[in-house]
Amino acid sequence: MPSPGHPGQRPPGHHLPRVALPQRGAHQGSGGLTRFVAGMEMGGIPIATVMPQLTGLPTVFVRKQAKEHGTGKSAEGGPVDGRRIVVIEDVVTTGGALLASCRQLRADGAKIDSVVCAIDREQGGRENLAVEALRLRAALTRRDLESSLPA
């Protein structure tokens, strides 16, 4: 049985908004076409794993912190230097982990201006990301989820 307030309890026929997915050659940020999607460790990885099937774009996986052994990279799966990347996360609250990872990816040469998430909890993440010229595109917001619940 779903817990109270579970999204599965929304009224029949109620539809939640959809986010436009980046597609090869279709998502053009301020600096060019998207070449990769990058899934944030751990929550963004399942979403980013499906993205190539939906968009045709290759995926890299972003560590919260580069390992000191092995490849020592902050992103695994392909080179990011000089490539336009859309970063994928499951839930954004304040955006702290996203900001740290985007800073590291940019330091590695990636070009990032967009972040896509499943849920924006609307607790300052959008504003914090905007300070560093990162646009947040959310499939759902806390407000969307709350408004979908029966009265």
Side-chain angles (χ1 to χ4, degrees), residues 122-144:
E122 298 180 314
Q123 294 180 341
R126 181 178 304 275
E127 296 79 11
N128 293 337
L129 292 164
V131 169
E132 295 201 26
L134 294 165
R135 181 174 57 135
L136 179 63
R137 298 179 344 176
L140 299 168
T141 65
R142 180 181 181 152
R143 195 169 329 147
D144 294 330

Side-chain angles (χ1 to χ4, degrees), residues 9-97:
Q9 293 181 340
R10 60 184 180 263
H14 181 80
H15 299 284
L16 294 172
R18 295 182 56 170
V19 68
L21 297 173
Q23 295 180 357
R24 185 187 317 274
H27 173 72
Q28 186 156 348
S30 58
L33 300 177
T34 298
R35 298 294 180 211
F36 277 97
V37 293
M40 292 283 298
E41 176 187 27
M42 284 298 296
I45 289 178
I47 300 168
T49 300
V50 173
M51 296 298 281
Q53 297 170 43
L54 302 173
T55 66
L57 293 170
T59 300
V60 295
F61 300 107
V62 182
R63 299 181 189 283
K64 289 181 182 171
Q65 187 172 20
K67 299 248 179 187
E68 293 186 20
H69 61 281
T71 64
K73 296 178 183 177
S74 58
E76 297 289 345
V80 298
D81 186 29
R83 295 193 168 79
R84 180 144 313 278
I85 295 173
V86 172
V87 179
I88 309 294
E89 181 63 295
D90 59 345
V91 177
V92 173
T93 303
T94 63

Side-chain angles (χ1 to χ4, degrees), residues 105-125:
L105 288 167
R106 285 174 168 171
D108 292 343
K111 299 173 184 175
I112 306 167
D113 60 20
S114 294
V115 175
V116 174
C117 70
I119 300 171
D120 176 2
R121 294 181 67 187
E122 298 180 314
Q123 294 180 341

